[in-house]
Amino acid sequence: MDRQANSTPSAFSASSAVNSPAPAKAVILARGLGTRMRKADAAAALSPEQSAAADAGVKAMIPIGRPFLDYVLSALADTGWSHVCLVIGPEHTAVREYYTASGRCERVRVEFAIQERPLGTANAVLAAEPFAAGDPFLCINSDNYYPPEAFARLRRCEGAGLIGFRKDAMLQGSNIPPERIEKFAVIEFDSAHRLQRIVEKPTPQQLAALPEPHHVSMNCWRFTPAIFPAARAIPLSPRGEYEITSAVQHALTALDTPFEVVPCERPVLDLSSREDVPAVAAHLRDVEVRL
């Protein structure tokens, strides 16, 4: 069976630093190939700069006045997550060069971990193990803009946790099409907000059996070091990747790691394809960014 014993990062480096005695750590998964973003879309109204970035497939660097990732980093800094690791591929030199530029970051310290091959989100998290260094950390996607209150709430968790985004709020306020939201993983938790399981691509029958309101996972996690042995223990998924939800389920059931579910009634923005760019830009037009 193909396991991840040899899926360790090949490089790890630091860039600009800020003075902070005990910074809260955050990991941003930015290794994706950007397949959907690279796909041509004549109907998407993009600037030449946005089109060039979309062609490169690096979603985090799509310019919306400034790179999309700047908005994410600023929101993290606003809520106290001041030590950030970007998990990137060896080819993502533009990301590294941008965030190592002198004077770029004043409120956050940005470091990098290399995921040599795109083997899935759990494998990407393993690349950040040296950065975590035994500490808990926030873990998010690079192509989502999460409400800052979600970051603030996860800082108050005692151990591992995740944000459960209310499905009705996502349907009403996100730019993600309803047909995609209907396929998102649904979180099942008990009256004490302890995670019971994550239902991937739920069927109508499974949804009907779950109590409402339904909450979905958007990969907004607070992990403890227990996630690393869990990520190493899981097999490849049917689509040939090591999935973070599988690692979480293993940590929950095999390693007795409890996860607190923190409900959130605010939506998440998504930047997966060219058609998403104008909608996300409109939502972020008045957002102040300070790195």
Side-chain angles (χ1 to χ4, degrees):
M1 180 179 292
D2 190 2
R3 299 281 183 172
Q4 302 188 72
N6 297 319
S7 299
T8 54
S10 65
F12 186 80
S13 61
S15 69
S16 51
V18 295
N19 294 323
S20 176
K25 295 180 178 180
V27 171
I28 302 178
L29 307 181
R31 175 62 174 94
L33 299 176
T35 303
R36 292 179 59 198
M37 184 62 73
R38 293 174 189 267
K39 187 176 180 180
D41 185 349
L46 305 186
S47 69
E49 294 79 10
Q50 289 171 337
S51 293
D55 289 340
V58 185
K59 294 175 283 187
M61 300 304 289
I62 297 287
I64 300 177
R66 57 193 302 154
F68 172 74
L69 189 55
D70 279 6
Y71 293 89
V72 179
L73 290 171
S74 183
L76 288 172
D78 287 345
T79 50
W81 300 92
S82 56
H83 194 181
V84 178
C85 176
L86 301 181
V87 180
I88 58 176
E91 73 278 13
H92 292 158
T93 56
V95 179
R96 185 188 293 272
E97 290 172 359
Y98 179 83
Y99 288 107
T100 54
S102 176
R104 179 78 66 191
C105 301
E106 297 179 354
R107 297 198 299 157
V108 292
R109 177 182 176 183
V110 178
E111 304 190 9
F112 303 90
I114 304 299
Q115 183 187 19
E116 289 292 342
R117 294 185 293 157
L119 293 176
T121 48
N123 181 260
V125 168
L126 281 176
E129 188 172 9
F131 167 80
D135 296 326
F137 59 97
L138 179 80
C139 184
I140 58 174
N141 295 331
S142 66
D143 55 358
N144 289 132
Y145 182 79
Y146 301 89
E149 69 183 60
F151 299 153
R153 291 180 183 180
L154 281 182
R155 284 211 68 187
R156 296 193 289 268
C157 283
E158 292 294 327
L162 71 155
I163 298 292
F165 293 94
R166 276 189 54 152
K167 188 175 180 181
D168 53 0
M170 290 290 296
L171 289 168
Q172 293 169 12
S174 176
N175 68 307
I176 305 172
E179 58 271 19
R180 280 189 60 204
I181 294 175
E182 291 295 339
K183 298 178 182 177
F184 285 168
V186 176
I187 301 165
E188 182 178 356
F189 54 96
D190 63 17
S191 59
H193 285 205
R194 292 172 299 204
L195 178 66
Q196 301 299 299
R197 62 173 178 150
I198 299 174
V199 184
E200 293 279 4
K201 295 182 172 55
T203 65
Q205 294 76 18
Q206 288 174 315
L207 286 174
L210 294 173
E212 295 189 7
H214 295 154
H215 292 77
V216 299
S217 172
M218 293 297 295
N219 279 341
C220 188
W221 310 90
R222 186 182 192 272
F223 288 133
T224 65
I227 196 63
F228 299 120
R232 289 189 180 91
I234 59 173
L236 285 166
S237 70
R239 64 176 185 171
E241 296 185 356
Y242 297 102
E243 310 280 359
I244 195 60
T245 50
S246 298
V248 167
Q249 195 67 45
H250 184 87
L252 184 69
T253 58
L255 304 181
D256 295 321
T257 303
F259 281 79
E260 177 185 353
V261 177
V262 182
C264 182
E265 298 183 8
R266 297 284 303 279
V268 177
L269 302 179
D270 183 69
L271 193 67
S272 292
S273 65
R274 293 172 192 249
E275 67 178 353
D276 296 325
V277 177
V280 171
H283 277 92
L284 298 180
R285 183 177 294 115
D286 298 323
V287 174
E288 180 184 1
V289 172
R290 291 191 303 117
L291 302 182

